Amino acid sequence: MTKKYYWMKLREDFFDDDAIEWLEEQPKGKEYALFYLKLCLKSLKTNGLLIRTVGTILVPYDTSKLADITKTDYDTTIVAMELLKNIGLVEILESGEICLPRMEEMIGSETDKAVLMRKLRAQKNLIQGNNVTTALPECSENVTQRLENRDKDIDKNIIVAPLGNDASGGTDKYPVGDFEYQCVDMLIKSCMAGFPGSKVPRTDDEKRKWAVEIERMKRLDQRSESDIIEALTYATTDGFWKSNIRSAKKFREKFETLIVQSRNKAAKNGSEIKPAPNRFHNFEQRNTDYDAMVLQRTRERLGLADNPSFSEGGG
């Protein structure tokens, strides 16, 4: 069985970030920053989401459990979670999941086969560096390299220009059309709206790479254009996903989750909402004139209840 290893990548200026810098300036700020890093590590395998799986149900983490899994003082955990939510490093979703929005850019992973390949490449480079010409035996690295070369050859056969403007004379096998480029434009606009400095495609070659992912969704994943648009619209408008879907590749990976959540949300919003009855503990509300009641009680105490000369306007 193939194993997968995960690690967290921190930029060299991680602690110079405004949010982290502010967090450390707070009383016990070093502990809050350490608590945040522990949350990040706990969410590595779930792409920045934290929730407990108990049997067949999902149970949100409470403060006590968070303190337990991070080995943090309970009171410190309470304050840390509030501060992290306030500065946007942590979000609590409707389902109770704890979301760490910045985790996508910090997660790295590779399979045990990739680890073996990396070691074999290092060994090969070492041998070549020592001018040893003995050929290496056939191994998984050679097979994988051939597959990678095959994928590169396939990519070369994809049209850069939209369908109908084939600059290669119509010999390409899998054309990329207007639909794919329209999806790319939607993604680019979403990224730029959230952060104008986003790393998005700017040249035709860069946009082509994103368009290829959309074309593969249709051809390899058998996604219809209507379903792609539905999922993409949700991805670029939902508060959580529009900050996490930052490329066509990520959109393709999360397609099923996006379309399921989109339809669940539509079904929820479309359900009939019945107004709550105007009751308190199942008692019918009564329309009572409390001023008239007080006046009547006063007249009774003074023995003037039957005296017609005592009126509301008189003395």
Side-chain angles (χ1 to χ4, degrees), residues 2 11 23 62 93 119 121 190 222 245 286 307:
T2 301
R11 294 168 55 94
L23 188 65
D62 56 20
L93 306 184
K119 291 180 179 179
R121 288 194 183 100
S190 175
Q222 298 296 303
I245 302 298
R286 299 176 180 177
N307 189 344

Side-chain angles (χ1 to χ4, degrees), residues 48-80:
L49 294 176
L50 269 178
I51 195 164
R52 303 169 64 190
T53 302
V54 181
T56 58
I57 63 174
L58 298 178
V59 180
Y61 280 100
D62 56 20
T63 305
S64 177
K65 191 62 180 178
L66 287 175
D68 181 49
I69 65 173
T70 59
K71 295 180 174 59
T72 305
D73 178 74
Y74 181 82
D75 292 335
T76 301
T77 300
I78 294 177
V79 178

Side-chain angles (χ1 to χ4, degrees), residues 159-161 181 201-211:
I159 296 176
V160 176
Y181 282 97
R202 301 185 186 277
T203 67
D204 290 340
D205 286 342
E206 290 173 346
K207 290 182 179 180
R208 165 185 170 276
K209 292 179 181 179
W210 279 26

